[in-house]
Amino acid sequence: MIGYGANRGIIPVVCEELFRAIESNQEDNRSYQVTFSMLEIYNEQVTDLLSKTKKSGGLKVREDQHQGFYVDGLKLVPCERYAQIERLMDQGKKTRTTASTSMNSSSSRSHMVITIHFKQIFLEDDITKQSSINLVDLAGSERQKSSGSEGDRLREGVCVNLSLTTLGNVISALADAAMGKKVIHIPYRDSVLTKLLQSALGGNSRTVMIAAVSPADICYEETLSTLRYAERAKKIKNKAVINASPTEHLIKELKAENNKLLSRLAGLGKSGKRVEQETKELRRLLTENELRIQAMEMTWEHQLQEARKEWEQQYVVITQERRMMQAFPYLLNINEDPQLSGVLKHFIQEGSSDVGQAASNEITMRALGILPKHATFINFENKVLVKPYGKAKVIVNGVAIFMNTKLQHLDRIILGSNSGYLYIGFPAERGCEDISKFDYDFFQSELAAAEGFSVDKLGAIHNKDGKPDPSVLAVFHDYIKLIPLVAEANQLSEELIKDLKFELKVKNLALTDSRGYDLQKEIMVKVINKITQQVWIWSKSKFINRKFLMEELYQRFLDGDIILDRESDPFWDPVEAIHLGSAHIWLQSLAYCMKLEEQTELLDSEGVEEAILMITITPCSSTGRPLSEEDIVIDPLELLGRKIVFQIHILQCLGVRWLREAADRGIQIGYHFYDDHQSVYTKAVWKNVNPVIDHKMQFVASNVSNGLLSYLQKNALVVDLWGLQEGCPEIDWSLPDTACTNEGFILIDSMKTVHSSSSLVDSNSHVSELYLKLLKLEQETELLRDINRAVREENIFLKESLKQSGAWKCQGCDKPVRVQYRDYSSNSIQSASSTKEVMKRSGCRASYDADFAKALKVFYQSMNTIRGHFLRLKHYKPPHFIPWTMGF
C-alpha cells in the first residue's frame, strides 16, 4: 500500500492525484481542506502513528450518534500539498520501526489505516461537502499449517484472523442484503477494524477493494480464498449521496443539545449511586460536545498555522539530519520488513558515543537485549571503533566481539538479541554501492555461515541445473528464519529468570531409514534447563507459538503483572523422553541363517556417537533351537514356506553420553522388526553409564514369504536410543496390542500367510522346481560359453601362425611350406601343402562351425523363451491367494 524505494504504493499515488486535482480546480468561491491521520491496529489495540506520546493500552474507539465510530484522541494533521503527506508517512513508518524493535508488532502482523478527510467549502452558500478516504493495508491471514500456528492458541494470529474473518462476515452480510436476502444483523462491532470501516463499507460510500494474489502453487488455497473475498465485495451496492451540511446550523444544534444537558444536570438530585452515574455520563457528553464545538469553530487558517509550526520543526530536523549524513558515519537500521529498513539513523560523532537503553547515552536504543549501557562507538582520527560493555552482545559481520574492533564501511552490526544495523562509513569511504543487498536475510545468513551452517552441510542434492534440492533449501530458510527468534527467546528467558537455553537443531541431519535412504530433514529447537539439565525437543511450529506467548508474558512483566500458574507459563513443559540416536543392523546374514553379532555405534541426529550397542540376532528352528553352521542355506529361497524364529538379544550399551552428562538420567531402547508396527522397548535402566540391558525377544514367521526374504536381504534393523529424565514416565514395554504365540514369540509376516497352507507349499515347491531347472540350464549355458571361448582363442592363435608363415613358401627357397591346422570333424591335426588344399580340407570344418553356430542360436532362443515363461510365472497371482512376489 505504501511501497518502499522506487516502488511507490497505492497510497502515495492516490494522495498525489488528489492534490493534483485540487490545483486544477481552484475557484474564488470555493476552498479545500485536507487532513491526514495514520493509525495501526495490533491485537485489537489502536496506536496513533503520528503522535509522539504513547498511551498504555492504546487509544479508545468510541461511538457518536452523528459521526459513528471514531478513535478518541487520534491526531488529525491538516495538509496543503502532497510533500507534507509524504513526510507524515515517513514519520509513521519510523514510529512503526521503533515499536517493532521494542518487542511490539512488526508491520506484517498489524492492520494500518490511513484516513484522508477531504472537505469542499462553498463560501457563498455556507455549505460544507465532506468525504473520508480510508486506505487500509490489511495484515495477511494466518494459515496454521504454513505459518506454524499449531498447538497452542496464538493470540496474535487469532486477533489477525478475527479482524479478517469479521470483515469477511460484514462483506457477506452486506452482499446478501444487496441481493435481496433477509439480513438480521451485520457484525460491525465484532472487531476494531470493522467498527472504524463501518461508514466505508455499508454507509454512504463507494468501496474499492484491491486483492493481491500470488502465482506460487503453495499459495493456491490462499489465492482462491482472496478471490472469493473480492467476489463478495463486488456484490455490495451502496447508494452514495453528497455529504452536504451547513456548518453554522450544526454548531447551533450542538449548543442547543448542551443547554438541554445542563438543564438535566440541574434537575438531578444530590445523592444516590444511580444519580451519580447519570451525572457522570451527562458531564462526559457535555465535555465531548464542547470539544466538537471548539474544533468546528477553530478556523482552518488557525489549524494550518499550528501545522506549519510542526512542519518547520520537522524541516529543521530533516535538514540537520541530511547535513550530518554528509559529515559523520552512522548506523542504519535493518528490519525484517523492507518498508521499515533504513528509517532510523544513529550518528557517530567525534569522540565517544555510548549506546544503551539509559536516557543518558548519546544514542538511545530501546530493544530486547540492549543493556542500560551496551557499547561505545569511538570516532577518532577518521576511524570508528566499537567496544562492548561487560557481557553485552555485539556481533560484527556474523561474529561476536569482546574487545575494541575497527569498523569498515558497510559492516553489519547486531546489538542485543536482534537489532541489526548497517554501518555507513565516512563520506570519503562511500561509493556507489548498492546497499539494498544488505537486507535482513543477508544478516541472518551471515550469522548461520559463522555458525558453520550452510546448504552444503544439509547434504544438498543438486539437480541437473546445478541448483540445490528445494526441500533442502526450505530447511535452510527455516533455519535462517528461526535464528533471530531463538536469540530473542534466550534473551526473554534471561530477563524473566527462566533459566532455559534454546538451541537450533536439524532433525535427521545424518540419519537414514532401514533401506539407507536419507530421512526428511526439518528444523527443531532443543530446550535445556541450565539448572536441572532437563531437555525438551520442540518442533518449529510449537516454538513459534511459544515465542509469541513469551512476548506477551514479557509485556505483562514490563507492566508489572506476571502472576501465572505453571500450565499457562509458555516456558514450562512436562518432562518427556528424548530421542538420542539410532543404529542400523543390516540383516542380510539372516537370509542365509547365519548368526549376527554386532558392536555398533548409536549416532545422534548430527552423526555424533551417543553410545556403543552390543547386540546379537540369532536365527532359530521352529522349536526355538539356535541354528548351527550346518543349517546355513546357500540360497535364501530355500526358506520359502518354512517356519523360522529370530531371537534378538540386546546385551549392553557402553559409554552412554546422555548418562555421562547427568547421573540421574535413564535410557530405553526401542525397535520394530519387519511388519510388527508396534515398537518393542527394553526395560528402563537408570544411573549407569554402561548399562547392562539383557533384553531378549523372539520373532516367529510361520510361513516365510518372499517379502520377508527381501526385507532381510535389503533392510536394516533400526535400533533407537531414548533418554529418560527425572519425572519422566517410562515408555510402555508391555506390548499390549501385539500378536504373540503361546510361547510368547511375536508373530511376524502374518499378512503374507495365505489362506491355504497346503496350496502355498505346493506353489512354493512348483516354483522351486522351476528354479532348479533354470539353474541347470544356466550351468549348461555357462559350460557352452566356456567351450566357445576356448575355440575362439585357439582360432586366433592359428590365424596368427598362418600370418607368420608368409605366402605358404619358405623365405630362402621356392619350396612350398606344409601348414598344419585342426580338423574339428575328427578333432585331429592335419597338414596341407597349398592354400587350395587347406581351403578344400577346411570346407568340411566350416560346415561344422556353421552347425555349431546354429545350435548355439537355437539354444539361446530356447533360453529366452524359458526365461519369459519363468518371469510370467514369477508375477503370476494364484486365485484365492494373497498376492506375493518372488525376489530373484
Side-chain angles (χ1 to χ4, degrees):
M1 291 294 289
I2 293 181
Y4 58 95
N7 301 316
R8 294 205 309 162
I10 296 169
I11 296 174
V13 173
V14 168
C15 295
E16 191 174 22
E17 288 296 323
L18 175 63
F19 281 99
R20 188 174 297 165
I22 290 175
E23 291 175 2
S24 61
N25 290 279
Q26 290 287 352
E27 297 182 12
D28 294 337
N29 62 343
R30 187 184 305 178
S31 65
Y32 302 95
Q33 298 178 2
V34 177
T35 56
F36 181 91
S37 66
M38 187 175 182
L39 61 87
E40 181 181 45
I41 303 173
Y42 176 71
N43 279 349
E44 294 297 284
Q45 292 185 0
V46 179
T47 302
D48 187 356
L49 296 177
L50 301 181
S51 176
K52 295 180 181 179
T53 59
K54 299 300 172 188
K55 187 176 181 181
S56 178
L59 301 178
K60 302 298 181 183
V61 178
R62 305 191 184 280
E63 187 178 10
D64 182 79
Q65 59 180 349
H66 297 289
Q67 63 184 99
F69 290 102
Y70 67 97
V71 179
D72 189 16
L74 183 65
K75 186 175 182 179
L76 302 176
V77 182
C79 300
E80 296 178 283
R81 52 188 180 275
Y82 169 68
Q84 296 172 343
I85 288 183
E86 202 169 24
R87 284 186 211 159
L88 289 172
M89 287 191 292
D90 290 341
Q91 179 183 343
K93 286 195 295 182
K94 186 175 293 188
T95 304
R96 297 178 89 182
T97 303
T98 306
S100 67
T101 57
S102 300
M103 279 301 298
N104 292 328
S105 65
S106 59
S107 67
S108 59
R109 307 302 337 120
S110 61
H111 309 296
M112 185 188 67
V113 181
I114 288 179
T115 305
I116 299 172
H117 301 277
F118 178 60
K119 291 184 179 181
Q120 299 181 73
I121 301 175
F122 298 87
L123 302 176
E124 294 181 354
D125 302 327
D126 195 18
I127 292 177
T128 300
K129 295 181 180 179
Q130 58 185 0
S131 62
S132 298
I133 305 172
N134 294 288
L135 299 164
V136 185
D137 185 6
L138 295 175
S141 64
E142 281 286 328
R143 287 286 182 185
Q144 287 186 345
K145 185 176 180 180
S146 59
S147 64
S149 301
E150 301 172 6
D152 301 304
R153 187 173 183 263
L154 181 57
R155 183 185 167 198
E156 183 189 49
V158 167
C159 289
V160 169
N161 285 350
L162 172 65
S163 298
L164 296 176
T165 303
T166 305
L167 182 60
N169 293 337
V170 168
I171 290 175
S172 296
L174 292 173
D176 291 341
M179 296 174 65
K181 296 182 181 179
K182 185 177 180 180
V183 178
I184 300 176
H185 172 65
I186 298 177
Y188 289 116
R189 298 176 178 271
D190 289 356
S191 75
V192 172
L193 180 66
T194 49
K195 286 180 182 179
L196 298 180
L197 297 181
Q198 178 178 4
S199 60
L201 290 170
N204 180 22
S205 65
R206 289 181 180 178
T207 302
V208 176
M209 178 177 177
I210 298 176
V213 297
S214 169
D217 57 354
I218 194 175
C219 301
Y220 178 75
E221 294 181 0
E222 284 287 339
T223 299
L224 286 182
S225 175
T226 302
L227 292 176
R228 292 191 193 102
Y229 208 91
E231 182 66 24
R232 283 185 290 174
K234 284 170 59 178
K235 297 177 182 178
I236 299 176
K237 295 180 181 179
N238 292 333
K239 294 181 180 180
V241 297
I242 297 174
N243 287 325
S245 61
T247 308
E248 294 297 331
H249 179 67
L250 185 58
I251 293 175
K252 290 179 181 179
E253 285 184 352
L254 287 173
K255 288 182 177 180
E257 185 177 349
N258 277 358
N259 292 330
K260 292 180 181 179
L261 291 173
L262 289 171
S263 299
R264 289 182 60 186
L265 279 172
L268 290 174
K270 295 184 180 180
S271 61
K273 186 175 181 181
R274 184 176 178 182
V275 172
E276 290 179 1
Q277 292 178 351
E278 189 173 355
T279 303
K280 186 177 180 180
E281 180 66 19
L282 289 174
R283 285 177 177 172
R284 185 185 66 79
L285 293 174
L286 186 62
T287 303
E288 288 182 1
N289 285 346
E290 289 290 345
L291 292 174
R292 289 186 62 193
I293 292 172
Q294 292 178 11
M296 296 179 70
E297 288 181 339
M298 183 183 295
T299 62
W300 176 251
E301 287 75 14
H302 180 69
Q303 294 180 21
L304 280 179
Q305 186 178 358
E306 294 293 327
R308 287 190 188 106
K309 292 180 181 178
E310 291 189 12
W311 296 131
E312 290 175 0
Q313 295 174 359
Q314 292 182 12
Y315 182 76
V316 171
V317 173
I318 293 172
T319 304
Q320 183 181 3
E321 183 179 273
R322 289 176 179 173
R323 289 176 180 172
M324 295 184 72
M325 288 172 62
Q326 300 301 321
F328 300 104
Y330 59 92
L331 302 177
L332 192 68
N333 81 295
I334 302 297
N335 196 283
E336 183 179 4
D337 188 342
Q339 295 186 75
L340 304 184
S341 292
V343 177
L344 301 178
K345 300 177 183 67
H346 299 295
F347 294 96
I348 305 172
Q349 302 185 43
E350 293 182 358
S352 298
S353 300
D354 292 335
V355 176
Q357 293 217 25
S360 58
N361 295 306
E362 285 79 3
I363 301 175
T364 304
M365 291 184 184
R366 291 185 175 88
L368 188 64
I370 301 293
L371 303 179
K373 193 172 184 179
H374 196 86
T376 297
F377 288 87
I378 305 170
N379 182 349
F380 179 71
E381 294 181 353
N382 292 329
K383 293 186 300 183
V384 173
L385 303 176
V386 58
K387 174 187 174 184
Y389 270 98
K391 297 181 179 180
K393 184 179 177 182
V394 178
I395 297 175
V396 178
N397 298 336
V399 180
I401 64 170
F402 305 97
M403 58 185 67
N404 287 8
T405 302
K406 182 182 177 182
L407 297 179
Q408 302 291 336
H409 179 53
L410 298 182
D411 276 351
R412 283 76 58 198
I413 302 172
I414 297 178
L415 303 175
S417 60
N418 191 33
S419 298
Y421 293 91
L422 183 65
Y423 170 71
I424 306 298
F426 291 92
E429 300 175 341
R430 304 171 197 171
C432 301
E433 304 92 354
D434 181 17
I435 65 173
S436 61
K437 68 177 182 179
F438 299 106
D439 57 3
Y440 185 81
D441 289 340
F442 187 95
F443 274 57
Q444 306 308 324
S445 299
E446 196 170 48
L447 278 176
E451 295 173 3
F453 187 84
S454 63
V455 176
D456 292 334
K457 183 180 179 181
L458 293 172
I461 302 173
H462 294 273
N463 300 323
K464 295 179 180 179
D465 55 1
K467 296 181 179 179
D469 185 80
S471 61
V472 173
L473 280 178
V475 175
F476 179 75
H477 289 309
D478 283 344
Y479 191 94
I480 297 301
K481 177 183 177 182
L482 291 181
I483 285 178
L485 300 185
V486 169
E488 291 173 0
N490 280 319
Q491 187 63 39
L492 290 172
S493 172
E494 183 178 342
E495 296 197 17
L496 295 173
I497 317 177
K498 294 297 182 179
D499 298 316
L500 293 184
K501 180 183 178 182
F502 299 86
E503 296 178 357
L504 271 179
K505 298 290 182 181
V506 182
K507 185 179 180 180
N508 302 327
L509 179 62
L511 297 183
T512 58
D513 61 7
S514 63
R515 296 293 295 273
Y517 300 134
D518 288 341
L519 292 172
Q520 184 178 359
K521 299 175 179 62
E522 57 183 283
I523 300 300
M524 60 183 183
V525 178
K526 184 177 181 180
V527 187
I528 305 171
N529 189 309
K530 292 184 284 187
I531 296 178
T532 64
Q533 297 301 312
Q534 291 176 329
V535 179
W536 297 265
I537 299 296
W538 288 358
S539 64
K540 169 193 165 186
S541 59
K542 181 175 182 178
F543 171 73
I544 292 176
N545 291 343
R546 291 295 183 91
K547 169 64 169 48
F548 283 115
L549 296 175
M550 292 174 194
E551 291 178 11
E552 292 185 4
L553 180 63
Y554 182 68
Q555 191 61 48
R556 290 169 57 185
F557 167 73
L558 296 179
D559 296 338
D561 176 22
I562 197 175
I563 300 175
L564 73 167
D565 54 0
R566 190 174 65 176
E567 282 70 18
S568 60
D569 186 355
F571 290 92
W572 181 85
D573 234 12
V575 184
E576 57 188 13
I578 304 298
H579 182 260
L580 302 177
S582 301
H584 286 60
I585 315 297
W586 294 98
L587 305 172
Q588 189 174 12
S589 299
L590 298 182
Y592 299 90
C593 292
M594 298 174 62
K595 182 179 179 180
L596 267 174
E597 290 183 302
E598 293 284 346
Q599 182 171 324
T600 186
E601 296 176 331
L602 283 157
L603 303 178
D604 66 8
S605 179
E606 297 181 352
V608 179
E609 180 185 305
E610 185 68 33
I612 299 294
L613 176 70
M614 299 177 64
I615 182 173
T616 62
I617 305 179
T618 308
C620 305
S621 65
S622 58
T623 59
R625 175 185 60 85
L627 298 181
S628 62
E629 294 182 359
E630 298 176 355
D631 299 312
I632 295 176
V633 298
I634 299 175
D635 186 357
L637 287 173
E638 297 179 26
L639 298 178
L640 279 174
R642 287 172 49 182
K643 179 180 179 180
I644 193 167
V645 178
F646 300 100
Q647 183 189 63
I648 296 179
H649 184 194
I650 300 177
L651 291 82
Q652 191 175 7
C653 263
L654 301 175
V656 183
R657 187 170 54 141
W658 171 258
L659 298 172
R660 289 201 307 263
E661 294 174 352
D664 58 347
R665 291 173 173 174
I667 62 165
Q668 278 185 275
I669 294 176
Y671 61 91
H672 75 270
F673 191 81
Y674 190 41
D675 60 354
D676 182 27
H677 299 295
Q678 184 177 358
S679 294
V680 179
Y681 291 96
T682 65
K683 293 183 179 180
V685 181
W686 295 82
K687 304 178 181 180
N688 191 345
V689 178
N690 301 305
V692 176
I693 309 298
D694 195 22
H695 164 84
K696 292 182 181 180
M697 186 60 66
Q698 289 79 21
F699 297 84
V700 59
S702 301
N703 294 295
V704 174
S705 70
N706 185 261
L708 177 57
L709 289 180
S710 177
Y711 169 79
L712 295 177
Q713 290 176 310
K714 299 178 181 179
N715 290 60
L717 177 70
V718 181
V719 181
D720 294 313
L721 179 65
W722 293 86
L724 304 177
Q725 314 175 66
E726 186 177 359
C728 168
E730 298 179 1
I731 305 174
D732 183 17
W733 50 271
S734 61
L735 303 175
D737 301 324
T738 302
C740 298
T741 64
N742 294 331
E743 296 85 1
F745 297 176
I746 297 177
L747 284 171
I748 59 171
D749 211 18
S750 57
M751 298 300 295
K752 308 296 185 297
T753 305
V754 295
H755 299 298
S756 174
S757 301
S758 59
S759 299
L760 177 62
V761 173
D762 293 340
S763 178
N764 285 338
S765 61
H766 181 53
V767 173
S768 300
E769 184 179 352
L770 288 175
Y771 179 65
L772 293 175
K773 290 182 179 179
L774 180 63
L775 286 178
K776 186 176 180 181
L777 288 173
E778 287 184 348
Q779 291 173 359
E780 293 177 356
T781 304
E782 191 63 31
L783 180 61
L784 288 172
R785 285 174 180 169
D786 291 340
I787 295 173
N788 190 24
R789 193 180 303 111
V791 170
R792 286 181 178 178
E793 291 176 356
E794 191 171 359
N795 281 348
I796 292 172
F797 173 75
L798 292 174
K799 286 180 181 179
E800 292 294 332
S801 299
L802 286 173
K803 288 181 181 180
Q804 293 176 3
S805 64
W808 308 93
K809 291 184 179 180
C810 181
Q811 295 283 340
C813 61
D814 291 336
K815 293 182 180 180
V817 177
R818 301 295 295 180
V819 179
Q820 291 184 343
Y821 64 94
R822 178 179 291 277
D823 186 356
Y824 288 94
S825 61
S826 61
N827 198 23
S828 60
I829 303 299
Q830 304 291 335
S831 63
S833 58
S834 66
T835 306
K836 291 183 179 179
E837 187 177 354
V838 173
M839 294 301 295
K840 182 178 179 181
R841 294 188 182 184
S842 64
C844 181
R845 188 200 69 180
S847 64
Y848 283 110
D849 286 348
D851 291 339
F852 180 72
K854 289 180 181 178
L856 280 178
K857 184 176 181 181
V858 172
F859 176 77
Y860 284 131
Q861 289 176 347
S862 301
M863 283 293 298
N864 290 334
T865 303
I866 293 173
R867 283 179 180 276
H869 286 308
F870 184 75
L871 289 174
R872 283 194 293 274
L873 182 62
K874 175 182 174 181
H875 297 287
Y876 174 70
K877 299 177 182 179
H880 309 297
F881 292 93
I882 297 176
W884 53 278
T885 57
M886 299 297 292
F888 307 131

